[in-house]
Amino acid sequence: MPKTRREVAQRVAAIIRPIEAQSQSLSAEAGRSIAALIEARQQARLPAHVGAQALARTTEAAQHLVLAANCFAEVHRELAGLAEDLGLGFGPDCPPNEGAEKPGLKVVAIG
């Protein structure tokens, strides 16, 4: 059982940080999967409507991953602010996340 607020914060950070990093990586992978589907269709010389539903579903899934990544970045920012308010500061492996302070990217599906 944790004895201090710092220990509790470190426990939470140990859970949140990997999720934040993985959600960012998955967002990037999802974007690459969209490109791969389009490129595969072009290389196979298929008309644009072939695989359109799968491409649309992949784009929708990618959008959800980006939203999740942005939410975890926001959680990071909020918890960092809370830690600062409580006088815990940032840990050695958790510098202020400047990227989380900026508006997130958005995926927009056209069609």
Side-chain angles (χ1 to χ4, degrees):
M1 180 137 200
K3 296 180 182 179
T4 68
R5 289 179 180 173
R6 179 171 284 287
E7 289 172 337
V8 171
Q10 288 170 340
R11 234 179 49 199
V12 170
I15 294 168
I16 297 295
R17 275 193 311 262
I19 296 169
E20 181 185 10
Q22 290 169 8
S23 66
Q24 293 291 330
S25 294
L26 286 171
S27 295
E29 285 294 320
R32 286 189 281 276
S33 74
I34 293 168
L37 288 172
I38 294 168
E39 290 167 0
R41 183 171 60 195
Q42 290 172 336
Q43 289 170 357
R45 293 184 173 92
L46 296 170
H49 70 278
V50 173
Q53 188 60 38
L55 180 59
R57 183 72 66 202
T58 302
T59 301
E60 180 183 5
Q63 182 178 14
H64 289 291
L65 288 169
V66 169
L67 291 173
N70 288 342
C71 286
F72 278 106
E74 184 68 16
V75 166
H76 181 157
R77 188 187 67 77
E78 290 170 359
L79 290 175
L82 179 60
E84 192 171 311
D85 291 347
L86 294 173
L88 302 176
F90 296 103
D93 56 348
C94 187
N97 188 347
E98 293 177 17
E101 295 175 7
K102 298 176 184 170
L105 297 175
K106 296 185 183 198
V107 174
V108 178
I110 298 174

